[in-house]
Amino acid sequence: YDHAVSLLKRAIDNAPNNVDFLLLLADNYKRLALKEEAVSTLEQILKLEPSHEEAKAWVVELQTPSVDSSIG
């Protein structure tokens, strides 16, 4: 995923308003457990397309604390 992030960043440099590239970048960040970077990228998408449902859902998912089942 690191290589994909690098390629996507270059693509976004050439097309900064391409929501598809941004969504792919957010997905790669998510897979790499880079939550802050993923949320930041999703927020960029929402600035461009405020009604982007997938980006909204991912922001909620990433900002919701995960439940640790080992507690208790």
Side-chain angles (χ1 to χ4, degrees), residues 1 26-34:
Y1 295 109
D27 183 48
N28 278 272
Y29 282 145
K30 186 177 164 188
R31 292 172 189 270
L32 290 166
L34 298 172

Side-chain angles (χ1 to χ4, degrees), residues 25-26 29-30 34-43 62:
L25 181 60
Y29 282 145
K30 186 177 164 188
L34 298 172
K35 286 185 179 184
E36 289 180 23
E37 290 85 346
V39 170
S40 176
T41 304
L42 292 165
E43 288 171 346
L62 290 167

Side-chain angles (χ1 to χ4, degrees), residues 3-62:
H3 184 64
V5 166
S6 176
L7 292 174
L8 285 163
K9 283 183 175 181
R10 274 196 276 160
I12 292 165
D13 283 343
N14 292 318
N17 296 331
N18 187 309
V19 171
D20 293 327
F21 291 162
L22 289 166
L23 192 61
L24 286 170
L25 181 60
D27 183 48
N28 278 272
Y29 282 145
K30 186 177 164 188
R31 292 172 189 270
L32 290 166
L34 298 172
K35 286 185 179 184
E36 289 180 23
E37 290 85 346
V39 170
S40 176
T41 304
L42 292 165
E43 288 171 346
Q44 283 182 265
I45 293 169
L46 292 171
K47 284 180 185 171
L48 296 169
E49 290 186 21
S51 62
H52 196 286
E53 293 302 322
E54 191 171 10
K56 286 182 191 178
W58 282 9
V59 167
V60 170
E61 175 188 329
L62 290 167

